[in-house]
Structure formats: structure tokens, C-alpha cells
């Protein structure tokens, strides 16, 4: 196969994977930042040009920054609100159930209901459970937005790198 044809095929596949990765930061069915990181580094490695490596490294740094910011912000807020991992896991289970019961919005609604129910069970106080659940969802939402922006920027850097490469 001609090297240019291989470069084009790899770039198109990488572009599709990055589109899925960016959506994965909002709809956490796929690990968006991890997929972004693997895609840009893999694309840079296969193409091997200076432009692809520059774009791949910048994209990888952006993906890692988004992933780290999301984890740090969410973790800090969870510790401050004294929310253990169990209510979050119940929320994730609710999100999975909600995703199948109510398409698209069920994911978010199921998470919110599951988190609130677990916090209410744990605290035995609806007002305190509601306050901590809302704070947890706000921090997770902010983390998702930061992760989405960083993955989108990584995809944009990829696009610029692909244009320069070709």
C-alpha cells in the first residue's frame, strides 16, 4: 500500500475516533480523554512526521490536563462535601439503568436520582442529601465541561497537525 494512502486512512480513522472521544466526555459510555490520548499518540506514531508528533504531543498534554482537572475538581468537592465513593457508584448504576429506560437524558437523570437516593439513605436527612448531591453534580458537571473543552482542543490540534502533515 502506498504510504500516502495509509496516512490518509489512519488520519480518517483517528478523526472518527476523536469525534467519539469528544462525545465520550459528555456521555461517559466511553472514556473520552483516554480515547483522545491513545488516538493522538497512536496517530502521531504511525504517521511519524514532525507535524504529527507535534500535534500528538500537544493533544496528549491537553487530554491529560482535561482528565486530571476533572478528577481533581470532582475529588476535591467530594471530599469537602464528605461524600464517599458508594453513593457515586449507586449514581453510576442509576445512570446505566436510566440510559436504557429513558434514552439520552436517562443517563443524567438516573445518575442524579441514584446519587440522591444513596445520599438520603446514608444521611437520613433529605435536605442534607439534596445539598450534597447538588454540589457533587455541579462539580462533576464542571469537570465534564473542562474535559470536553480539552478533548475538543486536542481534536482541533489534531486537525491542524493533519493539515500541516498533508
Amino acid at each position: 500500500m502506498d504510504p500516502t494512502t495509509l496516512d490518509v486512512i489512519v488520519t480518517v480513522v483517528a478523526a472518527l475516533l476523536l469525534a467519539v472521544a469528544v462525545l465520550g466526555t459528555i456521555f461517559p459510555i466511553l472514556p473520552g480523554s483516554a480515547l483522545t490520548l491513545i488516538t493522538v499518540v497512536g496517530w502521531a506514531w504511525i504517521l511519524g512526521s514532525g507535524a504529527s508528533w507535534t500535534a500528538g504531543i500537544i493533544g496528549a498534554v491537553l487530554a491529560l490536563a482535561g482528565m486530571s482537572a476533572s478528577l481533581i475538581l470532582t475529588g476535591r468537592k467530594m471530599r469537602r462535601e464528605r461524600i464517599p465513593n458508594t453513593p457515586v457508584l449507586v449514581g453510576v448504576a442509576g445512570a446505566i439503568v436510566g440510559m436504557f429506560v429513558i434514552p439520552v437524558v436517562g443517563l443524567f437523570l438516573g445518575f442524579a436520582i441514584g446519587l440522591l437516593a444513596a445520599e438520603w439513605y446514608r444521611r437520613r436527612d433529605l435536605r442534607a442529601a439534596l445539598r450534597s448531591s447538588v454540589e457533587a453534580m455541579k462539580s462533576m458537571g464542571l469537570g465534564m465541561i473542562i474535559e470536553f473543552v480539552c478533548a475538543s482542543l486536542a481534536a482541533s490540534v489534531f486537525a491542524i497537525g493533519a493539515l500541516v502533515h498533508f
Side-chain angles (χ1 to χ4, degrees), residues 56-101:
I57 290 169
I58 293 170
V61 168
L62 286 166
L64 286 171
M67 193 181 332
S68 299
S70 177
L71 291 173
I72 289 169
L73 286 173
T74 304
R76 186 181 311 156
K77 183 66 98 170
M78 297 293 191
R79 279 192 303 278
R80 187 170 50 217
E81 293 297 323
R82 295 190 177 110
I83 300 172
N85 290 336
T86 305
V88 175
L89 292 175
V90 171
V92 168
I96 292 169
V97 170
M99 179 175 59
F100 292 107
V101 174

Side-chain angles (χ1 to χ4, degrees), residues 120-139:
W120 188 13
Y121 177 78
R122 184 174 75 88
R123 293 180 183 257
R124 307 281 189 216
D125 179 14
L126 182 60
R127 179 168 280 153
L130 187 60
R131 186 184 61 73
S132 66
S133 296
V134 167
E135 289 301 317
M137 288 188 296
K138 285 189 330 190
S139 71

Side-chain angles (χ1 to χ4, degrees), residues 38-60:
I38 292 167
T39 300
V40 295
V41 171
W43 172 78
W45 181 65
I46 292 171
L47 267 62
S49 70
S52 66
W53 272 113
T54 301
I57 290 169
I58 293 170

